[in-house]
Amino acid sequence: MHVLVTGGAGYIGSHTVLHLLAAGHEVVVVDDFSNARPTVVSRLEELAGQAIPVHSFDVADIDKLDSLVTELAAEGRPVEAVIHFAAFKAVGESVAEPLAYYRNNLGATLAVAEVMVRHAIPHLVFSSSATVYGADAPVPMTEDLPTSATNPYGWTKVMNEQVLRDAAVAHPWLRVALLRYFNPVGAHPSGRIGEDPSEVPNNLMPYIAQVAVGRREQLSVFGDDYDTVDGTGVRDYIHVEDLAAGHLAALEWIAGHDRALSVWNLGTGRGTSVLELVAAFEAASGREIPYQIVERRPGDIASSYADPTRAQTELGWRTVRSVEDMCADTWRWQQANPEGYPA
Ligand code: WQD
């Protein structure tokens, strides 16, 4: 299929582009590079062994998006599916700048959905997040749990899911997949692409990797008094390669089935604590990760991990990479790119 990937130069988008190309799909990327370096594209072309068309603009600009879709159809390569990654995703930043988050994250999804309806593009895979399960969800989390949020970023995911649910009801020919990611980590085994936070990493794995490579002094562990195996936060870390494979499986499933809306958790179904991840990274890298226990981070929950049964039974998809693989692949990327992608 001809697939348009918004945010395709980003962390999860770039890894997914490789899986789409390897499966024989044709890809066009739209990215405004507000949270991605242009170098990603040349790395992707090197890994894919082919040129990848990239259009640099804000996907919320509906006129530009409509012009691109019109142009591709005129060239005889009509877009048949969209995978929509493009969004701001920093929880803390969303609390400080909620209007920018609503403008960007809702605007982008509304533009994508409106252009798809105008051009009768039937397949949409949406990048959602386990954050939509809110603060008090029981674990393991199942897709039928109610959704809510505790920060503007999370609300944009909840609201975008509602927008797409309503679009799928109004246009039954539209096939929508909402993919709820747990905690994406890791990197392509080549070490040529990976996670490259533009500022101080908010997330645990990139922070650990930057300590290991010497860019950060020590890790602050946000609390060790949670009701968990060792008191530190437990999360369902999923390798970005498994996550990318999940997108391909979801896209191909909705293209072959008559269901307007599908919701799938993409997680391993297993939880790992902060200190367990630190130990695994030390084993994978051979580097010590100094840390200090500090106070809890506001808004954090004790445990979050998926019940991935529905994706396994419906998509025939399951994660195959271990926490050790996640650490080894992250380390290979970080060692080869201590400062991330070159400017
Ligand atoms: C993991 C654990 C922290 C950093 C967030 C977003 C979520 C999704 C994934 C976008 C927690 C602890 C972390 C540090 C620490 N993003 N930690 N020291 O919070 O589960 O999820 O990223 O979709 O929406 O909420 O991930 O990696 O920030 O934290 O101790 O320097 O590591 O307390 O227990 P989180 P995280």
Side-chain angles (χ1 to χ4, degrees):
M1 280 187 278
H2 293 134
V3 186
L4 188 144
V5 181
T6 76
Y11 172 42
I12 301 165
S14 56
H15 287 79
T16 302
V17 162
L18 290 183
H19 281 246
L20 291 167
L21 293 172
H25 295 291
E26 297 206 18
V27 170
V28 172
V29 168
V30 174
D31 203 304
D32 66 1
F33 293 96
S34 62
N35 192 25
R37 289 273 171 83
T39 317
V40 175
V41 181
S42 47
R43 297 278 180 95
L44 281 178
E45 293 183 328
E46 168 203 313
L47 290 167
Q50 59 181 291
I52 300 170
V54 176
H55 299 267
S56 176
F57 62 84
D58 178 353
V59 78
D61 183 331
I62 192 164
D63 294 336
K64 285 187 179 164
L65 185 59
D66 193 287
S67 300
L68 173 61
V69 168
T70 302
E71 178 192 313
L72 290 169
E75 290 167 5
R77 294 184 302 119
V79 175
E80 299 162 278
V82 178
I83 303 186
H84 177 38
F85 290 105
F88 294 160
K89 66 163 197 118
V91 170
E93 186 181 57
S94 79
V95 175
E97 299 171 34
L99 299 183
Y101 267 67
Y102 287 117
R103 159 72 60 194
N104 185 69
N105 290 5
L106 297 180
T109 303
L110 286 167
V112 165
E114 285 177 40
V115 168
M116 287 182 73
V117 168
R118 282 184 200 170
H119 294 264
I121 299 171
H123 309 113
L124 173 60
V125 174
F126 175 67
S127 163
S128 190
S129 165
T131 205
V132 303
Y133 292 121
D136 310 314
V139 286
M141 293 155 173
T142 55
E143 292 88 349
D144 55 0
L145 284 171
T147 58
S148 68
T150 56
N151 56 74
Y153 161 75
W155 280 118
T156 68
K157 290 298 183 186
V158 172
M159 293 172 184
N160 275 329
E161 286 198 357
Q162 188 57 51
V163 164
L164 296 176
R165 274 178 199 283
D166 291 342
V169 168
H171 308 282
W173 51 267
L174 193 57
R175 301 275 178 273
V176 175
L178 305 178
L179 301 186
R180 292 173 177 170
Y181 311 159
F182 278 73
N183 287 63
V185 294
H188 187 269
S190 66
R192 298 290 287 158
I193 62 173
E195 188 172 9
D196 182 20
S198 45
E199 280 140 29
V200 178
N202 297 304
N203 296 137
L204 180 61
M205 181 69 102
Y207 202 102
I208 289 175
Q210 289 189 11
V211 171
V213 83
R215 272 182 75 181
R216 309 272 168 210
E217 284 298 303
Q218 68 172 2
L219 170 72
S220 297
V221 175
F222 298 147
D224 67 348
D225 57 351
Y226 287 101
D227 180 14
T228 63
V229 60
D230 58 18
T232 64
V234 168
R235 296 292 184 273
D236 185 334
Y237 297 100
I238 174 173
H239 197 297
V240 67
E241 285 290 281
D242 282 332
L243 191 61
H247 284 73
L248 184 62
L251 175 64
E252 294 181 346
W253 193 93
I254 62 172
H257 292 79
D258 254 0
R259 188 162 71 195
L261 186 100
S262 304
V263 185
W264 289 298
N265 284 337
L266 295 186
T268 66
R270 287 183 304 281
T272 301
S273 77
V274 174
L275 294 183
E276 286 169 341
L277 195 66
V278 168
F281 203 95
E282 288 182 327
S285 64
R287 298 285 174 91
E288 190 207 350
I289 308 294
Y291 66 84
Q292 64 171 357
I293 308 290
V294 300
E295 66 283 358
R296 292 182 175 193
R297 177 171 66 178
D300 275 358
I301 59 179
S303 289
S304 164
Y305 52 91
D307 176 341
T309 308
R310 185 188 287 179
Q312 290 171 4
T313 51
E314 289 190 341
L315 299 180
W317 167 90
R318 63 179 57 239
T319 56
V320 296
R321 292 160 181 91
S322 64
V323 170
E324 289 67 33
D325 296 326
M326 298 172 206
C327 294
D329 292 340
T330 300
W331 179 233
R332 189 178 306 107
W333 149 257
Q334 190 71 85
Q335 260 198 315
N337 305 272
E339 299 297 320
Y341 289 109

